[in-house]
Amino acid sequence: MSKVRYNLDDIIKNSFEETMEYLKKNNIQIKEKLSLVILKSYEEYQQKYGTNPRIHVGEYEGQENDVYIIKNGLKEIINSYINNPNRIFIGNLVAITHNGILWPVYKNDNDIENVIAEAVTDSIVTREIGHHIVGQGNWKASAFAFLVYFYKNELYKYPEVYEIMEQNMKMCEKYIKKKDSSLSYSLGYCFANNLIYIYENLLNKDKQSPKLNIKNMIEKLKYFSKDDEIDATRMINTLTKILMLLYK
């Protein structure tokens, strides 16, 4: 097993602060002050706040406006990715699988463990912030997380990222056909994946700046209901295939 060389506390704090700064920079409204709470373990959470059967590695608490991150649980997830030999490398990117969807990560060959730790943390922290911005619902928060992660890291500039997104489309086809509401995380990522692919690969020719207005898109996410999740994901999947025939 790989020896841990990353500073997880710093990575969590940086992910939270950089995401909040990105939202502020893009005039994405944060209704009330949001705080980050890092806890060492599930046991520490239970000692401080009592038993919560819903608590995961990350959790948004609406009453207190807190994002909780369970450090030991997050570390287990990160290490499972670091020690997984089946990574996908395409050009300057490496892809990690999160909830059945590939997340592109700009790789630094001298510090692959750190970039994986940052990407995994980002996906979880940003999703929990998403609950605060777009409202409760795993599909909405997941779509928010994938969008913010992608644009915050300016991944639209890398041609090879669209190869990874095309692989995601194949996996998304399977999730859509299952019509299973328990796949909300994956379906939310699929919706964002295809939306980005349309705007940045098919419609954005120079790729020096993003085509999608992320502020407007995030505002629209607030109005999707749980009943919309599968239909919206299926429709944008169909639209993507039609536009690929027209533009490629």
Side-chain angles (χ1 to χ4, degrees):
M1 178 175 288
S2 176
K3 183 179 179 181
V4 175
R5 292 185 290 181
Y6 52 87
N7 187 320
L8 190 52
D9 283 282
D10 285 349
I11 289 173
I12 296 168
K13 290 174 186 175
N14 288 342
S15 174
F16 183 83
E17 290 170 3
E18 289 171 6
T19 300
M20 296 297 284
E21 181 61 30
Y22 174 82
L23 297 174
K24 181 180 178 182
K25 179 182 175 182
N26 286 275
N27 298 311
I28 296 167
Q29 186 177 8
I30 301 169
K31 294 173 287 187
E32 299 177 52
K33 179 177 172 58
L34 189 63
S35 299
L36 173 68
V37 180
I38 302 174
L39 300 167
K40 182 179 179 181
S41 63
Y42 294 104
E43 290 73 24
E44 182 181 359
Y45 179 93
Q46 291 174 343
Q47 289 170 6
K48 289 187 175 182
Y49 307 105
T51 302
N52 181 354
R54 296 188 304 111
I55 189 70
H56 301 294
V57 171
E59 190 72 32
Y60 167 65
E61 173 49 59
Q63 290 185 332
E64 301 295 330
N65 287 325
D66 289 334
V67 169
Y68 296 104
I69 301 295
I70 310 296
K71 193 166 72 169
N72 282 1
L74 177 57
K75 187 183 294 184
E76 287 181 14
I77 295 172
I78 291 170
N79 287 343
S80 71
Y81 286 119
I82 288 173
N83 294 302
N84 183 356
N86 299 317
R87 300 185 197 130
I88 298 172
F89 291 92
I90 301 177
N92 292 314
L93 301 176
V94 58
I96 58 172
T97 305
H98 187 56
N99 288 111
I101 295 298
L102 297 173
W103 285 60
V105 183
Y106 181 79
K107 71 178 180 357
N108 180 337
D109 290 330
N110 297 320
D111 199 5
I112 192 69
E113 293 186 4
N114 201 63
V115 296
I116 290 175
E118 289 173 351
V120 174
T121 302
D122 234 9
S123 70
I124 293 170
V125 170
T126 306
R127 187 181 66 212
E128 299 312 317
I129 292 173
H131 285 297
H132 180 73
I133 304 293
V134 298
Q136 293 294 344
N138 293 331
W139 184 89
K140 292 195 289 188
S142 297
F144 171 93
F146 199 93
L147 286 166
V148 171
Y149 170 83
F150 188 93
Y151 286 104
K152 185 178 74 170
N153 291 289
E154 298 185 331
L155 291 168
Y156 55 85
K157 294 181 177 180
Y158 301 99
E160 57 267 44
V161 77
Y162 302 106
E163 295 180 44
I164 294 172
M165 301 184 92
E166 286 170 4
Q167 291 188 46
N168 278 340
M169 291 177 201
K170 295 175 184 177
M171 292 185 274
C172 290
E173 289 266 10
K174 298 176 183 177
Y175 300 142
I176 292 166
K177 288 177 181 177
K178 288 183 178 179
K179 297 182 180 179
D180 185 350
S181 60
S182 69
L183 294 170
S184 290
Y185 289 122
S186 302
L187 291 170
Y189 298 147
C190 287
F191 179 85
N193 179 88
N194 287 19
L195 185 71
I196 293 166
Y197 188 90
I198 290 171
Y199 273 89
E200 309 306 343
N201 193 40
L202 300 180
L203 303 180
N204 188 352
K205 297 307 178 185
D206 63 18
K207 295 180 173 50
Q208 294 305 303
S209 59
K211 188 84 170 175
L212 179 72
N213 185 320
I214 191 166
K215 177 186 176 183
N216 289 350
M217 189 61 235
I218 287 173
E219 187 64 29
K220 290 173 183 175
L221 280 178
K222 297 177 183 179
Y223 300 100
F224 281 87
S225 70
K226 189 167 181 60
D227 293 337
D228 298 326
E229 294 175 1
I230 295 175
D231 285 343
T233 310
R234 184 179 64 250
M235 283 189 287
I236 199 163
N237 184 67
T238 301
L239 177 61
T240 305
K241 289 189 287 187
I242 293 170
L243 291 176
M244 285 174 74
L245 292 173
L246 294 174
Y247 284 91
K248 292 193 76 176

